[in-house]
């Protein structure tokens, strides 16, 4: 079903036009989209561009993040998703932030920079905050089964990558050493990993559950991503400065985002030097973002605007007669209706029910 939907949209002229602007890293405005149509159209654009880069969704608040997660999980069940958490103001150093926030921010920035493909959610609050000028991520630590590696070397590498040494690993971004056994919870993994030595040789690499310490799977190698960036002291960069050429940046309902930015800026006048103002954010979005909204707006008049002819369907509220009337009309007009339900069992039952109304 998901392939059918995406394939239909890939052929839509407006989608191809929007993808063309994104391929050139140029901004464009897509209007006429609301609700579930937004993520579906973005998935189609990603498909046209070869599904190479990460997708970054700029939204007003976490409420929109929850909605996008539900929709995008259907199309990208295996793609990692991460919010770029805002930091507290006044700006605090990375080593004083919670480990969870550090790990989340590092993962999100890694996705944006193209180190790994994923989906990033950025609220207006996070978008507004100035970031450290990016340099690059520290190199990943790669540990392979059977290779000879000194424990001290790997521990030094983990410390350099920003990992915290603890008595026992119980959270992401931590590591612990007990004799010939090293436990580490990489920020690019959903589970912790146990590395065992025999003399200087890596004798076993296994993932394990931190709650019961039971092994999950034997591994040939493990790639451990850094928890920290190689950052300059200068803090003037925007989120867009981190984006790789292949990253697709989508601004959802830009008017709502810009208005919230203006409100947040007024509320944080004491820290204005650490924030981008509304005009600066509008300028940044106008350079390369895909601005998606239901209605047209007066912002960014010089940016190409594409209106997509999407219309919502009636709320049938279990009125089968109203639904079948519409289905018959669409079929007569040469339209192929696609009905989505939450399970295959419900879909089969619903199809049988429609068959009673002589619908093909």
């Amino acid at each position: 079903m998901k392939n059918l939907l995406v394939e239909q949209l890939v052929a839509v002229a407006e989608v191809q036009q929007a993808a063309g602007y994104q391929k050139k890293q140029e901004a464009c405005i897509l209007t006429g989209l609301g609700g579930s149509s937004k993520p579906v159209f973005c998935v189609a654009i990603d498909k046209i561009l070869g599904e190479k880069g990460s997708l970054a969704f700029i939204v007003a608040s976490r409420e929109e993040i929850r909605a996008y997660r539900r929709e995008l999980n259907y199309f990208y069940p295996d793609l990692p998703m991460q919010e770029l958490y805002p930091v507290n103001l006044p700006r605090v150093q990375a080593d004083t932030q919670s480990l969870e926030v550090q790990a989340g921010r590092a993962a999100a920035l890694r996705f944006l920079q193209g180190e790994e493909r994923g989906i990033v959610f950025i609220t207006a609050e996070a978008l507004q905050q100035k970031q450290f000028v990016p340099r690059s991520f520290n190199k990943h630590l790669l540990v392979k089964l059977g290779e000879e590696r000194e424990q001290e070397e790997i521990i030094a590498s983990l410390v350099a990558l920003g990992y915290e040494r603890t008595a026992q690993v119980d959270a992401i971004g931590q590591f612990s050493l007990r004799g010939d056994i090293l436990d580490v919870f990489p920020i690019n993994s959903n589970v912790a990993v146990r590395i065992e030595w025999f003399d200087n040789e890596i004798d076993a690499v296994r993932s394990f559950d931190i709650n019961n310490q039971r092994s999950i799977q034997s591994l040939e190698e493990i790639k451990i991503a850094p928890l920290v960036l190689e950052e300059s002291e200068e803090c003037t960069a925007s989120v867009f400065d981190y984006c790789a050429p292949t990253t697709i940046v989508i601004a959802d309902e830009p008017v709502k985002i810009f208005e919230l930015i203006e409100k947040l800026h007024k509320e944080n006048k004491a820290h204005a030097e650490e924030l981008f103002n509304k005009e600066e954010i509008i300028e940044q979005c106008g350079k390369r973002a895909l601005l998606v909204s239901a209605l047209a707006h007066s912002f960014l008049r010089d940016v190409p605007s594409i209106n997509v002819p999407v219309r919502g369907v009636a709320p049938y509220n279990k009125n089968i007669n109203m639904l079948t009337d519409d289905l018959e009309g669409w079929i007569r007009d040469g339209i192929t209706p696609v009905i989505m339900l939450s399970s295959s069992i419900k879909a089969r039952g619903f199809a049988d029910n429609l068959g009673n109304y002589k619908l093909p």
Side-chain angles (χ1 to χ4, degrees), residues 221-238:
E221 63 180 37
I222 180 66
K223 191 176 184 181
I224 302 171
L227 189 60
V228 293
L229 280 167
E230 294 177 2
E231 295 172 331
S232 67
E233 295 298 319
E234 192 179 3
C235 188
T236 58
S238 73

Side-chain angles (χ1 to χ4, degrees), residues 191-330:
V191 292
V193 176
R194 180 160 291 155
I195 302 167
E196 297 182 23
W197 274 266
F198 182 77
D199 289 335
N200 286 336
E201 182 180 321
I202 305 293
D203 188 50
V205 181
R206 297 192 297 270
S207 58
F208 72 95
D209 189 327
I210 60 173
N211 296 313
N212 56 29
Q213 299 294 302
R214 291 179 180 173
S215 296
I216 299 173
Q217 182 182 6
S218 295
L219 305 170
E220 291 295 319
E221 63 180 37
I222 180 66
K223 191 176 184 181
I224 302 171
L227 189 60
V228 293
L229 280 167
E230 294 177 2
E231 295 172 331
S232 67
E233 295 298 319
E234 192 179 3
C235 188
T236 58
S238 73
V239 166
F240 290 91
D241 293 322
Y242 279 83
C243 292
T246 54
T247 301
I248 303 173
V249 184
I250 301 107
D252 176 55
E253 296 297 340
V255 173
K256 191 175 180 181
I257 294 169
F258 299 155
E259 289 176 350
L260 186 54
I261 291 286
E262 186 173 35
K263 178 175 177 289
L264 290 170
H265 202 271
K266 289 178 180 177
E267 292 174 354
N268 291 279
K269 283 187 176 179
H271 313 297
E273 71 281 357
E274 298 184 27
L275 304 172
F276 291 109
N277 60 37
K278 175 179 152 184
E279 289 70 27
E280 290 170 322
I281 294 294
I282 291 173
E283 182 182 359
Q284 292 166 13
C285 289
K287 289 181 178 178
R288 67 168 292 182
L290 174 66
L291 300 106
V292 180
S293 62
L295 303 173
H297 51 81
S298 59
F299 294 102
L300 299 166
R301 292 183 181 276
D302 295 333
V303 173
S305 183
I306 306 166
N307 183 256
V308 187
V310 174
R311 71 167 186 257
V313 295
Y316 295 105
N317 296 323
K318 299 184 180 180
N319 188 330
I320 191 70
N321 292 323
M322 185 187 299
L323 173 60
T324 54
D325 286 345
D326 280 352
L327 290 173
E328 288 172 350
W330 289 327

Side-chain angles (χ1 to χ4, degrees), residues 6-295:
V6 175
E7 285 167 8
Q8 293 291 323
L9 287 179
V10 162
V12 173
E14 290 85 356
V15 176
Q16 294 179 358
Q17 191 178 355
Y21 285 113
Q22 282 296 295
K23 188 174 183 179
K24 295 184 291 184
Q25 299 178 55
E26 295 178 3
C28 75
I29 300 169
L30 271 183
T31 61
L33 300 180
S36 297
S37 65
K38 294 177 186 176
V40 180
F41 271 77
C42 293
V43 171
I45 291 170
D46 181 39
K47 184 76 173 179
I48 292 173
L49 296 178
E51 300 176 310
K52 296 177 181 177
S54 295
L55 291 91
F57 289 88
I58 301 171
V59 297
S61 66
R62 286 192 171 89
E63 183 178 347
E64 287 83 3
I65 292 178
R66 287 190 289 271
Y68 265 108
R69 277 186 183 273
R70 285 196 304 270
E71 307 280 356
L72 293 169
N73 268 324
Y74 177 73
F75 293 98
Y76 301 109
D78 300 320
L79 204 58
M81 300 185 186
Q82 179 63 56
E83 178 184 350
L84 177 64
Y85 299 114
V87 297
N88 295 325
L89 294 174
R91 182 170 299 281
V92 293
Q93 295 300 316
D95 58 1
T96 64
Q97 298 176 27
S98 75
L99 202 59
E100 183 181 357
V101 170
Q102 282 189 68
R105 283 182 57 80
L109 294 174
R110 192 171 70 251
F111 294 162
L112 292 177
Q113 286 192 313
E115 292 279 330
E116 183 181 342
R117 176 168 155 88
I119 296 174
V120 181
F121 299 105
I122 306 163
T123 60
E125 182 183 7
L127 178 67
Q128 186 181 33
Q129 294 181 351
K130 294 179 180 179
Q131 312 289 330
F132 287 107
V133 173
R135 291 183 178 174
S136 63
F137 277 92
N138 295 321
K139 292 181 180 179
H140 291 72
L141 172 62
L142 182 64
V143 179
K144 295 183 178 181
L145 180 67
E147 68 177 349
E148 291 191 1
R149 297 284 290 273
E150 295 285 346
Q151 276 190 352
E152 292 78 8
E153 174 207 341
I154 291 181
I155 290 170
S157 296
L158 288 171
V159 172
L161 294 179
Y163 284 74
E164 177 186 18
R165 185 166 185 170
T166 57
Q168 179 175 316
V169 170
D170 55 20
I172 197 166
Q174 296 179 344
F175 75 92
S176 69
L177 180 66
R178 303 184 311 281
D180 291 330
I181 298 175
L182 173 68
D183 291 345
V184 58
F185 201 147
I187 68 165
N188 55 320
S189 173
N190 294 323
V191 292
V193 176
R194 180 160 291 155
I195 302 167
E196 297 182 23
W197 274 266
F198 182 77
D199 289 335
N200 286 336
E201 182 180 321
I202 305 293
D203 188 50
V205 181
R206 297 192 297 270
S207 58
F208 72 95
D209 189 327
I210 60 173
N211 296 313
N212 56 29
Q213 299 294 302
R214 291 179 180 173
S215 296
I216 299 173
Q217 182 182 6
S218 295
L219 305 170
E220 291 295 319
E221 63 180 37
I222 180 66
K223 191 176 184 181
I224 302 171
L227 189 60
V228 293
L229 280 167
E230 294 177 2
E231 295 172 331
S232 67
E233 295 298 319
E234 192 179 3
C235 188
T236 58
S238 73
V239 166
F240 290 91
D241 293 322
Y242 279 83
C243 292
T246 54
T247 301
I248 303 173
V249 184
I250 301 107
D252 176 55
E253 296 297 340
V255 173
K256 191 175 180 181
I257 294 169
F258 299 155
E259 289 176 350
L260 186 54
I261 291 286
E262 186 173 35
K263 178 175 177 289
L264 290 170
H265 202 271
K266 289 178 180 177
E267 292 174 354
N268 291 279
K269 283 187 176 179
H271 313 297
E273 71 281 357
E274 298 184 27
L275 304 172
F276 291 109
N277 60 37
K278 175 179 152 184
E279 289 70 27
E280 290 170 322
I281 294 294
I282 291 173
E283 182 182 359
Q284 292 166 13
C285 289
K287 289 181 178 178
R288 67 168 292 182
L290 174 66
L291 300 106
V292 180
S293 62
L295 303 173

